[in-house]
Amino acid sequence: MTAITDSIPGTAPEAIQYHYDVGNDFYSLWLDPTMTYSCALWYADEDLQAAQLNKIDWHLRHANVKPGDKLLDVGCGWGGLLSRARERFGIGQGVGLSLSEEQVTAVRELKLPNVEARLESWFDHQVDVPYDAIVSIGAFEHFARIDQNLESKLAGYRQFFRFCHDALQPGGKLSLQTISYENSKREDFSPFFAEKIFPESDLPYMSEIMAASQGLFEVEELRNDRHHYARTLRSWLANLRENRDEAIRMVGKEKVAEFEKYLALMVVGFHVGSMNLTRIQFARVNKHRMP
Amino acid sequence: METAATKPGNFDGALALEQAEVMVIEWLQQYLGELLDIEPDDVDIDTPFDRYGLDSSAAVGMTGDLSAWIGAAVDPAAPYDYPSIRQLSHAMVTDAKNSAVVLANLASCR
């Protein structure tokens, strides 16, 4: 680790890898074929894969991705969005950032033309030519740690929006998706999650997202979809239980039990509304305020 | 006693809804009794789960174990939609998606 990476706001790479590098084969047992590990978007009775593609397309449209564009995906996962952006939206260039070694390797193995996967935080990402569009799905949950005070938590979020502002062309858009605290408090963050599932992570309050983006981005559209996440998690849980024996062979009984508990707890959290899932379309603020 | 199996159109060997419901009620009383260290008969079937101190972790554990016993999926959030033993048991055996499977499985548990 370099000195620079040590100062990434939020989750350290080792803690990211603890969760996301459990094994691509393990995740492929219960995620959909596009390997999308975030809340899907349902319009009707589609299956999980179709709902994941709905979600990806929603973000690509709301980031205003056009043919030939240069796109940044902050938290690119296993590359589902970058694939779709190439195939359906004809991007000219794509860059995906992830702190998971297995994810970066997997995206590179897709050999998508003009797409680069980098094992790097947005915090360290050097931008020479600004991007036309930025999408970030399911990464914001790792931009703060539960042990930070609220002031430094907000400062980290602010830094992210400042990065996006600087990294975008004037007129560019950022489409963001993250879990947020809804009817719950930071103190309610389950020790089980903090210790076993998502170490060194914390969720934003909606008010923090708004405060951190103020003056840098304008909210154009916002939708809260907690029931979509409960449904996504139910699908994952059913898939994992169906493939339990194989999962145990891959990662062991204890890990599988942990994941089943985590997925089930998340179902409850979204179902009862202690957490929400927000999708926000941000437009870059291009002009400074009048004095 | 008339059983479900004697009624036309029912799953072969399956139980009547009422019998199945009683079995689930008793299972949940046993389960909560062990969890709370009280006699199963003292677990009131109309008292809301949260008044028994059931948190989300315990609810998830309970639905997981219940699911394994009845041999059908039980939603982890079910105790929140059906917040007492009576309500949850009724929902489990009448749930349209699972009902036939549950009744057949419970028949074999007897």
Side-chain angles (χ1 to χ4, degrees):
Chain A
M1 284 301 113
T2 64
I4 294 174
T5 17
D6 284 343
S7 51
I8 292 174
T11 319
E14 294 80 1
I16 292 285
Q17 288 155 15
Y18 169 83
H19 184 86
Y20 295 94
D21 287 355
V22 172
N24 295 346
D25 290 348
F26 169 68
Y27 281 106
S28 73
L29 281 183
W30 49 279
L31 297 179
D32 73 298
T34 70
M35 290 289 281
T36 304
Y37 189 20
S38 53
C39 175
L41 173 58
W42 270 277
Y43 296 114
D45 290 327
E46 309 92 322
D47 65 13
L48 179 60
Q49 179 174 2
Q52 290 294 11
L53 291 174
N54 290 342
K55 182 265 305 286
I56 289 172
D57 289 351
W58 189 93
H59 285 289
L60 291 171
R61 281 200 308 273
H62 283 76
N64 196 26
V65 173
K66 303 173 298 305
D69 272 2
K70 186 182 173 194
L71 169 70
L72 176 66
D73 184 2
V74 179
C76 64
W78 288 276
L81 181 131
L82 288 166
S83 296
R84 186 77 170 177
R86 273 221 41 95
E87 287 161 16
R88 290 295 179 92
F89 290 74
I91 55 165
Q93 196 190 341
V95 175
L97 306 181
S98 171
L99 293 176
S100 153
E101 288 175 357
E102 295 215 19
Q103 289 181 343
V104 168
T105 304
V107 179
R108 287 177 182 157
E109 280 169 2
L110 294 175
K111 299 202 187 322
L112 302 168
N114 300 319
V115 168
E116 183 192 6
R118 300 175 67 96
L119 185 68
E120 184 177 74
S121 161
W122 55 268
F123 184 79
D124 296 321
H125 184 52
Q126 298 294 324
V127 182
D128 302 325
V129 180
Y131 291 92
D132 299 297
I134 301 179
V135 175
S136 183
I137 302 173
F140 205 91
E141 295 89 334
H142 300 300
F143 294 172
R145 294 186 317 272
I146 198 90
D147 61 356
Q148 276 179 296
N149 65 36
L150 288 178
E151 199 182 335
S152 96
K153 181 187 181 193
L154 191 62
Y157 291 160
R158 182 82 183 161
Q159 238 174 329
F160 172 70
F161 283 109
R162 194 173 296 284
F163 161 79
C164 290
H165 185 270
D166 295 347
L168 269 178
Q169 299 277 8
K173 290 183 204 271
L174 157 68
S175 194
L176 179 78
Q177 174 169 319
T178 181
I179 303 172
S180 60
Y181 288 115
E182 189 58 54
N183 186 19
S184 64
K185 295 193 195 100
R186 203 183 190 202
E187 300 79 76
D188 300 331
F189 199 96
S190 140
F192 167 73
F193 277 75
E195 285 157 26
K196 299 276 190 182
I197 306 297
F198 292 115
E200 299 186 25
S201 301
D202 193 11
L203 300 176
Y205 291 95
M206 182 62 76
S207 59
E208 291 171 332
I209 300 174
M210 295 301 128
S213 59
Q214 177 99 55
L216 297 169
F217 285 93
E218 176 185 336
V219 174
E220 291 198 322
E221 193 173 324
L222 184 155
R223 52 181 294 170
N224 278 340
D225 281 328
R226 66 183 168 88
H227 292 294
H228 291 237
Y229 218 152
R231 190 167 166 186
T232 305
L233 287 152
R234 285 183 179 110
S235 301
W236 291 340
L237 186 57
N239 292 343
L240 180 55
R241 285 182 173 156
E242 218 163 275
N243 294 292
R244 185 186 277 153
D245 293 343
E246 211 176 335
I248 290 173
R249 269 196 295 279
M250 286 176 181
V251 300
K253 210 169 174 174
E254 197 184 336
K255 203 69 175 168
V256 173
E258 269 172 31
F259 267 79
E260 282 191 30
K261 183 178 173 186
Y262 134 63
L263 295 172
L265 280 170
M266 298 271 282
V267 169
V268 173
F270 286 110
H271 183 84
V272 304
S274 52
M275 297 182 290
N276 218 323
L277 183 283
T278 190
R279 314 187 214 253
I280 310 175
Q281 178 189 32
F282 287 106
R284 184 184 188 275
V285 171
N286 300 313
K287 286 185 183 158
H288 288 295
R289 271 184 312 137
M290 297 293 282
Chain B
M1 183 166 67
E2 190 184 44
T3 66
T6 65
K7 294 182 192 166
N10 266 323
F11 211 90
D12 245 6
L15 296 168
L17 285 180
E18 299 74 19
Q19 289 172 293
E21 202 170 319
V22 168
M23 286 178 75
V24 179
I25 287 173
E26 287 171 355
W27 187 92
L28 284 167
Q29 282 182 303
Q30 185 81 33
Y31 188 95
L32 284 187
E34 280 174 30
L35 198 72
L36 304 166
D37 204 16
I38 54 177
E39 285 299 314
D41 286 349
D42 293 338
V43 178
D44 184 69
I45 67 170
D46 291 310
T47 300
F49 292 122
D50 60 355
R51 210 161 318 146
Y52 276 121
L54 213 69
D55 62 4
S56 56
S57 228
V60 160
M62 184 175 78
T63 51
D65 291 338
L66 179 60
S67 166
W69 181 62
I70 64 174
V74 178
D75 192 79
Y80 293 85
D81 290 340
Y82 310 102
S84 71
I85 288 180
R86 189 195 300 274
Q87 289 176 50
L88 183 59
S89 304
H90 184 71
M92 289 304 101
V93 298
T94 54
D95 174 270
K97 254 192 308 192
N98 286 340
S99 191
V101 179
V102 170
L103 295 187
N105 286 336
L106 289 182
S108 66
C109 286
R110 268 205 305 187

